[in-house]
Amino acid sequence: MDRPGVFPPGFFERYDDAPDATFYRPPRLVTHIDDAAIATVGRLYADLGLTGDVLDLMSSWISHFTTPPAHLTVLGMNAAELAHNPMATDRVVHDLNVEPTVPFADDAFDAVTCCVSVDYLTRPVEVFADVARVLRPGGLFVCTFSNRCFPTKAVSGWLANDDMGRLAIVRAYFEASGAYAEPTLAHCNPGAPGDPVYAAWAAAWS
Ligand SMILES: C[S@@+](CC[C@H](N)C(=O)[O-])C[C@H]1O[C@@H](n2cnc3c(N)ncnc32)[C@H](O)[C@@H]1O
């Protein structure tokens, strides 16, 4: 489904092709973007009205909401990190590169977020399509990213691009999934010192 016509050969290869479970076994109770960037992500979530039943995909010990959603499910690779997430009401360990289908019912969520992690997906189009399945009609999938990553675990197509190219990549994931309205792309903190924040979000069709 991650079509060679859209993404060139080798796009989803990674330097470290060992199972993600190995890389993510040690808990990392750190932040991956600076405090101002975290605040920028939180403002975006608030501006977009992400409340109700929310899924934070590829999550860790911190989700970046200014006000916690009524019900926040966090999905990630490390149980100890997820256990430390104070906003979470449900926690799921699940490897999206092994199984891109998320373990939730259809129409389970009002919104889905994914912060500084989309670059690690090796089967993103399948993941984006399945996220649309678990979103209620019109619900937003909001992907944010900066210019930092674990380079050995990011896909090579991501590493080969600059920030604008990466916005185009996330747009292509939305479009190739066929499951969303036109995505919105944004540089959320132009001119700010520190970590830049870019975002791409779109509403699920149905
Ligand atoms: C850079 S951290 C970002 C964590 C969090 N979203 C944040 O904003 O701080 C990358 C996260 O992606 C998750 N992740 C990486 N590969 C994954 C995979 N194959 N399936 C599910 N989650 C994954 C890891 O558990 C890790 O928490």
Side-chain angles (χ1 to χ4, degrees):
M1 189 164 175
D2 292 317
R3 294 174 287 182
V6 178
F7 305 105
F11 190 96
F12 295 110
E13 288 175 5
R14 300 185 294 176
Y15 182 81
D16 176 0
D17 205 25
D20 288 349
T22 304
F23 183 83
Y24 293 103
R25 187 167 295 131
R28 295 177 176 86
L29 300 174
V30 301
T31 51
H32 299 281
I33 46 177
D34 64 28
D35 289 348
I38 286 172
T40 297
V41 173
R43 270 195 303 277
L44 176 68
Y45 291 172
D47 290 348
L48 294 174
L50 307 188
T51 57
D53 298 319
V54 179
L55 168 62
D56 190 23
L57 206 66
M58 308 185 81
S59 189
S60 178
W61 69 278
I62 180 171
S63 299
H64 307 304
F65 299 88
T66 52
T67 304
H71 188 265
L72 179 66
T73 301
V74 293
L75 179 152
M77 289 296 292
N78 186 285
E81 292 176 11
L82 301 180
H84 279 82
N85 190 319
M87 291 190 183
T89 52
D90 277 303
R91 298 165 175 84
V92 178
V93 174
H94 179 95
D95 187 337
L96 293 167
N97 291 336
V98 171
E99 178 48 73
T101 300
V102 292
F104 307 109
D106 295 357
D107 299 339
F109 299 103
D110 297 302
V112 178
T113 56
C114 180
C115 183
V116 296
S117 300
V118 68
D119 40 326
Y120 306 121
L121 291 174
T122 59
R123 299 163 68 181
V125 178
E126 290 168 84
V127 172
F128 275 53
D130 204 56
V131 165
R133 177 187 64 77
V134 301
L135 275 169
R136 297 177 181 138
L140 296 181
F141 183 22
V142 182
C143 288
T144 48
F145 62 88
S146 187
N147 58 4
R148 298 160 52 177
C149 66
F150 300 127
T152 59
K153 295 306 277 184
V155 297
S156 65
W158 188 269
L159 297 176
N161 273 274
D162 61 11
D163 296 332
M164 292 302 116
R166 292 168 181 164
L167 275 174
I169 288 170
V170 184
R171 175 204 287 273
Y173 293 168
F174 277 116
E175 292 177 348
S177 76
Y180 297 86
E182 177 73 15
T184 301
L185 310 182
H187 180 183
C188 300
N189 56 355
D195 294 333
V197 175
Y198 302 92
W201 66 90
W205 287 125
S206 58

